[in-house]
Amino acid sequence: MYNPKSLKAEEFIDDAEVLASLEYAEQNKHNRELIEQILEKAAPKKTGRGTECAGLTHREASVLLACDIPDLVEKMYQLANDIKQAFYGNRIVMFAPLYLSNYCVNQCVYCPYHYQNKSIPRKKLTQEEVKQEVIALQDMGHKRLAIEAGEDPVNNPIEYILECIKTIYSIQHKNGAIRRVNVNIAATTVENYKKLHDAGIGTYILFQETYHKESYEKLHPAGPKHNYAYHTEAMDRAMEGGIDDVGLGVLFGLELYKYEFAALLMHAEHLEAVHGVGPHTISVPRLKRADDIDPDAFDNGIDDDTFAKIVACIRIAVPYTGMIISTRESEQCRNKVLDLGVSQISGGSRTSVGGYAGYKADERPHDTEQFDVSDQRSLDEVVKWLMDLGYIPSFCTACYREGRTGDRFMSLCKTGQILNCCHPNALMTLKEFLEDYASPATKETGEKLIREELEKIPNEKARKLAKEYIENIHLGKRDFRF
Ligand code: SAM
């Protein structure tokens, strides 16, 4: 029986409720009056506290996703863009993945790291290699990483992951520093989540892959990840362990996207109902070609237009949740979804173990790679491209370092203080990038952008201080934040 407050996976992701929501969406997909009401409910509203958005239930959002009336779809895209502007402005946060180890005991049929793949070389970084990778990432200009590892209690125990996090945070190379380490490792125990929390991680990210239990069990035929309930309930354990920024996601292409979409929002509603705070981020990965993996072997691939609609509907349904897109997607596809709600993207990524150190920007090792990277541009190129499109690439990590996690981050969003806080933080971290790592063309574009954007800080005191900090960065000081 469906119960968002239950701690049992099969009750908060109740299959019957997902199916009933899809049925309701199908019946109402041409109900103009209802769709207009839903769009109105989700629109940003001025309140005594600032700008607020009500969000949508999984049923309401499913109606939007099912709707194919052209003018209403256009309205959805406009609304997604308005919500994005209200809470995220034109800032796009940058990050890179760091693959620690591809040893894995699971048998995920879509992932080349699966245990039975004997053609892929297995590799695990030593602490010295972690250091070299981090230096290479710092030299590109990265400040925020997402660490990735297969699940293997012998080769990648929690102690190994913790040691890597410690190494990553300890490295100061020239003006470089990794200031936030997000962690994407397999579901684990409350005790291990506590250890990750104590190690100072940012977001704990775990993709559900698919919420459809029967498919999930077929796609994960053996290994610890086979256990649907243990995997689906991981975020509750993470929150119990003290991690209040968690990142959800499904791997689009495995199951029917409408099912995944409704269930993903039910998961978000569950976290809100039980822990009082929804997911910090939602990722939208799509299945990609990889060693031993042919995406065409899976029936549920989605085209770029459907993908864009999913992004827009997520943005409308959970307005305060960041949305992440990786280099799995091409430049063209990324361009489209940036406008519709994506707030974080990776740049210059390598998805192989040890893929950064010792390789030139245009060289990429494929032997231990997890999936093909579509967007192969360097970080400098992505930064310049974003600015040319009118976005502010941000390397900010301030919220979590200032303790603004979980619902404290949400209240910053709601009270509209973002323009006095996130906006200057984005400009200051961009300035650091321009001073330390940018090419001359990127620097020129960025300096002009910073000058213009500084004037948009509404609070006079904050504006004056931000200008002072930016001048100080030019003089060689680093790491200012609001
Ligand atoms: N091993 C951890 C786990 O099981 O959750 C997480 C790390 S794994 C390196 C990160 C994610 O990559 C997986 O959760 C999966 O969604 C995604 N992935 C796996 N194979 C992929 C493929 N062929 N194309 C795109 N993404 C893939």
Side-chain angles (χ1 to χ4, degrees):
M1 248 267 289
Y2 178 47
N3 177 7
K5 285 203 164 149
S6 167
L7 292 175
K8 285 203 174 111
E10 289 87 347
E11 291 178 0
F12 64 81
I13 308 290
D14 175 46
D15 180 62
E17 173 57 25
V18 181
L19 295 177
S21 303
L22 299 193
E23 177 66 30
Y24 175 78
E26 200 50 34
Q27 278 165 5
N28 285 290
K29 69 179 185 183
H30 294 144
N31 183 341
R32 182 173 280 275
E33 199 185 328
L34 176 71
I35 294 165
E36 281 177 346
Q37 271 171 22
I38 294 173
L39 291 172
E40 173 49 31
K41 176 187 169 190
K45 313 250 173 0
K46 293 263 179 252
T47 67
R49 290 189 294 174
T51 303
E52 294 195 26
C53 274
L56 294 177
T57 64
H58 59 278
R59 279 202 182 200
E60 292 164 333
S62 293
V63 174
L64 293 191
L65 188 65
C67 166
D68 55 6
I69 304 171
D71 67 301
L72 291 179
V73 173
E74 214 29 66
K75 270 194 181 167
M76 263 179 238
Y77 287 181
Q78 188 53 52
L79 176 57
N81 185 259
D82 290 349
I83 294 174
K84 177 161 186 227
Q85 284 301 325
F87 301 119
Y88 292 91
N90 52 352
R91 294 174 302 282
I92 302 289
V93 169
M94 306 303 302
F95 78 99
L98 170 57
Y99 282 74
L100 300 177
S101 165
N102 66 355
Y103 282 94
C104 194
V105 297
N106 284 313
Q107 291 193 18
C108 315
V109 302
Y110 48 84
C111 179
Y113 292 171
H114 70 86
Y115 182 68
Q116 282 170 329
N117 186 356
K118 302 295 175 208
S119 67
I120 198 165
R122 300 289 166 171
K123 192 169 173 185
K124 167 185 167 181
L125 298 181
T126 62
Q127 294 313 302
E128 181 51 35
E129 286 167 331
V130 171
K131 184 176 164 194
Q132 294 312 321
E133 290 286 275
V134 170
I135 288 175
L137 283 155
Q138 289 183 2
D139 278 344
M140 289 159 73
H142 279 295
K143 298 282 186 273
R144 174 189 292 244
L145 300 184
I147 56 171
E148 311 274 341
E151 178 168 16
D152 185 327
V154 174
N155 287 297
N156 323 325
I158 192 73
E159 290 71 25
Y160 170 71
I161 305 290
L162 294 168
E163 201 186 350
C164 291
I165 296 170
K166 209 168 158 193
T167 302
I168 295 168
Y169 278 134
S170 73
I171 293 159
Q172 288 278 334
H173 166 71
K174 299 184 183 159
N175 282 333
I178 298 302
R179 299 173 181 157
R180 179 175 177 128
V181 178
N182 296 334
V183 174
N184 184 2
I185 60 164
T188 184
T189 58
V190 174
E191 199 179 294
N192 286 347
Y193 286 124
K194 277 193 184 131
K195 290 180 185 166
L196 288 170
H197 175 251
D198 293 345
I201 69 160
T203 313
Y204 171 65
I205 301 165
L206 181 69
F207 299 157
Q208 178 64 29
E209 321 300 6
T210 175
Y211 283 98
H212 191 281
K213 187 177 175 198
E214 210 184 304
S215 302
Y216 181 95
E217 288 171 348
K218 282 192 194 133
L219 290 160
H220 307 96
K225 198 167 170 178
H226 176 72
N227 187 333
Y228 176 82
Y230 190 73
H231 188 82
T232 313
E233 293 158 12
M235 294 314 191
D236 297 292
R237 293 194 299 280
M239 285 188 160
E240 200 186 325
I243 299 172
D244 52 5
D245 282 351
V246 299
L248 304 181
V250 288
L251 187 55
F252 285 103
L254 298 179
E255 245 301 332
L256 295 173
Y257 72 92
K258 289 180 180 168
Y259 189 100
E260 304 294 19
F261 175 82
L264 177 68
L265 292 180
M266 283 161 71
H267 198 174
E269 287 163 13
H270 160 72
L271 296 177
E272 180 91 45
V274 175
H275 308 279
V277 54
H280 186 63
T281 55
I282 287 181
S283 299
V284 285
R286 275 198 285 187
L287 190 64
K288 296 281 302 177
R289 189 167 299 283
D291 178 275
D292 185 33
I293 306 295
D294 176 5
D296 297 336
F298 298 84
D299 298 336
N300 296 307
I302 48 171
D303 60 29
D304 286 0
D305 287 340
T306 308
F307 186 63
K309 201 165 163 202
I310 292 171
V311 169
C313 290
I314 294 176
R315 176 70 304 131
I316 296 171
V318 282
Y320 305 114
T321 299
M323 225 191 296
I324 303 180
I325 194 163
S326 73
T327 52
R328 288 178 182 86
E329 301 302 334
S330 65
E331 169 182 342
Q332 190 191 19
C333 174
R334 293 173 121 202
N335 189 353
K336 189 163 176 180
V337 292
L338 281 172
D339 248 6
L340 298 176
V342 165
S343 54
Q344 248 187 71
I345 67 170
S346 46
S349 303
R350 301 293 162 86
T351 63
S352 42
V353 183
Y356 295 104
Y359 294 100
K360 295 200 190 95
D362 56 351
E363 273 178 350
R364 44 186 65 239
H366 292 290
D367 56 346
T368 60
E369 204 169 48
Q370 198 196 12
F371 51 81
D372 280 357
V373 167
S374 296
D375 187 343
Q376 302 203 350
R377 293 170 298 171
S378 68
L379 180 62
D380 184 77
E381 286 170 316
V382 175
V383 165
K384 169 91 166 59
W385 168 75
L386 284 172
M387 295 191 297
D388 288 340
L389 292 172
Y391 296 103
I392 307 172
S394 170
F395 294 86
C396 179
T397 53
C399 270
Y400 122 95
R401 294 164 81 214
E402 290 290 321
R404 290 189 296 257
T405 57
D407 56 354
R408 276 159 292 180
F409 168 73
M410 305 284 171
S411 72
L412 182 80
C413 268
K414 291 180 188 170
T415 51
Q417 277 313 304
I418 272 192
L419 262 185
N420 287 317
C421 190
C422 303
H423 192 68
N425 283 338
L427 297 176
M428 293 187 302
T429 54
L430 174 61
K431 175 70 176 170
E432 290 184 334
F433 178 84
L434 300 181
E435 289 288 335
D436 292 335
Y437 309 106
S439 64
T442 304
K443 192 166 178 357
E444 193 185 329
T445 308
E447 295 292 356
K448 183 167 171 285
L449 182 84
I450 291 175
R451 274 194 303 278
E452 289 164 5
E453 292 289 336
L454 274 170
E455 299 308 325
K456 296 185 187 162
I457 301 172
N459 182 297
E460 201 185 318
K461 212 168 134 200
R463 189 166 63 243
K464 192 162 164 270
L465 207 54
K467 286 182 182 174
E468 257 174 57
Y469 288 161
I470 291 223
E471 186 49 33
N472 275 310
I473 292 169
H474 178 63
L475 296 173
K477 299 223 170 80
R478 294 291 174 269
D479 204 12
F480 295 98
R481 61 179 183 265
F482 284 88

